[in-house]
């Protein structure tokens, strides 16, 4: 991913989030897929909306870096840089599949 930093493979979150974390991660993967679909359709507003959702909710679940990367995707959407958007989405989907969540 060209403009993004490597994300931490371990996230530490509050134990109270344990029951909803699997849904949170799956929902973010779904949001990233929605961005990808919107970009391929040329629906930049829809892509921006989903990127904004990811950027907005991620920090509250301990995924601060994910939110930062979603804000980068928002910038790529503004400039309609398909290559950077798609590369970012692939990177973040892979990241969400391997990240380890520790409950504290």
């Amino acid at each position: 991913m060209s403009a993004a930093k490597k994300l931490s493979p371990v996230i530490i979150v509050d134990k109270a989030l344990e029951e909803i974390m699997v849904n949170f991660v799956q929902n973010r993967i779904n949001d990233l897929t929605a961005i990808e679909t919107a970009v391929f359709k040329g629906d930049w507003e829809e892509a921006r909306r989903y990127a904004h959702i990811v950027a907005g909710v991620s920090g509250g679940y301990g995924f601060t870096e994910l939110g930062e990367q979603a804000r980068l995707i928002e910038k790529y959407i503004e400039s309609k840089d398909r290559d950077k958007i798609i590369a970012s989405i692939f990177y973040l989907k892979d990241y969400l599949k391997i990240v380890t969540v520790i409950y504290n």
Side-chain angles (χ1 to χ4, degrees), residues 6 48 55 99 101:
K6 185 174 179 178
R48 187 208 60 76
V99 67
V101 179

Side-chain angles (χ1 to χ4, degrees), residues 48-69:
R48 187 208 60 76
R49 187 172 75 77
Y50 277 102
H52 192 72
I53 289 169
V54 176
V57 301
S58 296
Y61 288 84
F63 284 80
T64 305
E65 294 173 319
L66 175 63
E68 292 169 359
Q69 296 308 307

